Amino acid sequence: MNELLFAFGLTLFAGLATGAGAFLSLVTRRTDAKFLAVSLGFSAGVMIYVSMIEIFVKAQVALVAELGERSGAWATAGGFFGGIALIAVIDRLVPARANPHEYPHDDAGRQRRLMRMGTMTAVAIAIHNFPEGFATFVVAMQEPSVAIPVVVAIALHNIPEGISVAVPIYHATGNRRRAFRWAFLSGLAEPVGGVLGYLVLRPFLDDVVFGVVFAGVAGIMVFISLDKLLPTAQEYGEHHLSVYGLVAGMAVMAVSLLLFV
């Protein structure tokens, strides 16, 4: 029982770190377009770097180990572009007035695009956090000494992820509680994934399934970054501000990964 509580506590801590990022959105001014541009660029940098350097690589390692070098590489690429295709199809099926690409470029249209972008980012992060929570929970159960630095690294990742959810929703609605709630809920997918994965899914899942899921999530996050975060960041601020934010987000993720190599 103590091991279960320890594993759940660590997984919950990692997930709730998303709320720390969301808190940053509560102290920003609603009219600060430059901050919004930098924050969205930063969020895109975080998601792209984490997807390509961490999630995609983990997926490929798992799939190559199970399927062999050639088949594993193909499966990883298939999962990655499958995730992109999935989110692209969903985007195309959305009615024009709800689609952030098709809505008019007036104030109401911008607010609708920001709100949709924030909620879709929350969903993508929740999908990512679910299997990540399961992995964290299992590590904590089997190797408690190894789990602590892993959880700290994941928590560092989740802080800017909270920004990527809360900032656009806050600037779309002006509602701090709503922005925090979306980010908070996306982070809760971490402990939920840990508990459900351990109690229900573990007997049925293998490395192949996890590898394909991780590759697909990487594709989804990259698509959202390139199709929504960066274009909106450039619309609300100078081009260079969004690029500086992009590089800063990548740098923060690189440092957080290197600290726990």
Side-chain angles (χ1 to χ4, degrees), residues 9-225:
L10 287 182
T11 310
L12 180 64
F13 170 78
L16 293 183
T18 309
F23 177 78
L24 296 178
S25 70
L26 305 182
V27 297
T28 63
R29 295 174 54 189
R30 191 172 188 272
T31 57
D32 192 346
K34 289 185 177 180
F35 175 83
L36 179 59
V38 173
S39 296
L40 293 176
F42 182 90
S43 301
V46 167
M47 295 179 73
I48 292 173
Y49 194 91
V50 168
S51 297
M52 301 306 301
I53 302 301
E54 183 183 23
I55 302 176
F56 185 90
V57 172
K58 285 183 176 179
Q60 186 165 1
V61 168
L63 290 172
V64 167
E66 293 295 317
L67 304 176
E69 185 172 354
R70 183 176 179 83
S71 297
W74 276 100
T76 306
F80 178 79
F81 288 105
I84 291 178
L86 174 63
I87 195 66
V89 168
I90 292 173
D91 190 58
R92 294 295 297 177
L93 292 177
V94 174
R97 287 186 61 82
N99 194 314
H101 294 269
E102 305 296 335
Y103 205 78
H105 290 269
D106 53 14
D107 289 340
R110 291 191 181 96
Q111 290 179 350
R112 187 182 292 272
R113 288 197 303 276
L114 281 172
M115 185 64 195
R116 179 169 172 76
M117 178 182 58
T119 55
M120 290 186 70
T121 301
V123 171
I125 289 175
I127 293 172
H128 167 215
N129 284 350
F130 193 89
E132 185 179 83
F134 174 55
T136 303
F137 196 94
V138 171
V139 170
M141 287 291 297
Q142 296 179 345
E143 298 288 344
S145 61
V146 176
I148 294 177
V150 169
V151 168
V152 173
I154 292 175
L156 290 175
H157 298 163
N158 287 346
I159 291 174
E161 286 179 355
I163 297 175
S164 70
V165 175
V167 167
I169 293 178
Y170 171 57
H171 281 262
T173 65
N175 189 320
R176 290 178 171 85
R177 291 184 179 179
R178 190 174 185 181
F180 182 84
R181 183 165 60 248
W182 273 98
F184 180 79
L185 290 175
S186 70
L188 283 184
E190 195 107 23
V192 170
V195 174
L196 290 182
Y198 182 78
L199 297 178
V200 180
L201 302 178
R202 188 182 180 189
F204 307 100
L205 296 179
D206 55 23
D207 290 339
V208 173
V209 174
F210 270 118
V212 173
V213 169
F214 267 76
V217 169
I220 291 173
M221 295 178 71
V222 168
F223 182 89
I224 289 176
S225 299

